[in-house]
Amino acid sequence: MKQSEVKELSVAELQEELGKSRKAYSDLKMAHAVSPLENPIQLRTVRRSIARLATELNKREQQ
C-alpha cells in the first residue's frame, strides 16, 4: 500500500488494514519457515506496509 493511499483512509480503516497486514505478515513468515517462499520480497513489502499504516495511525493520534 502506498503512502498516498494510506493518507486517504480513516482511522477505523487504518486500524482494520493494520490488523489484516499483521495477519498476512504472520502467515507469510510461518509459510516461509516451513518451506521457502517463491517470492521472499513479499515479506519486506508487507512489513513496510505495516510500518506505513502504524506511522500514519500514530501521527493522527498525536494531533
Side-chain angles (χ1 to χ4, degrees), residues 40-57:
I41 302 301
Q42 289 175 322
L43 290 168
R44 183 187 333 169
T45 57
V46 173
R47 190 173 62 237
R48 288 182 179 177
S49 289
I50 291 170
R52 283 188 191 101
L53 291 166
T55 300
E56 184 66 26
L57 200 54

Side-chain angles (χ1 to χ4, degrees), residues 5-62:
E5 296 171 347
V6 171
K7 287 184 179 184
E8 295 174 1
L9 298 175
S10 69
V11 174
E13 291 172 330
L14 281 172
Q15 290 172 341
E16 182 180 338
E17 283 296 320
L18 187 58
K20 286 181 187 177
S21 294
R22 284 184 173 157
K23 173 87 170 93
Y25 182 65
S26 175
D27 292 344
L28 280 173
K29 273 179 49 176
M30 205 54 105
H32 188 61
V34 173
S35 65
L37 292 175
E38 185 175 314
N39 184 7
I41 302 301
Q42 289 175 322
L43 290 168
R44 183 187 333 169
T45 57
V46 173
R47 190 173 62 237
R48 288 182 179 177
S49 289
I50 291 170
R52 283 188 191 101
L53 291 166
T55 300
E56 184 66 26
L57 200 54
N58 286 334
K59 183 173 131 184
R60 290 186 187 186
E61 286 176 357
Q62 291 186 5

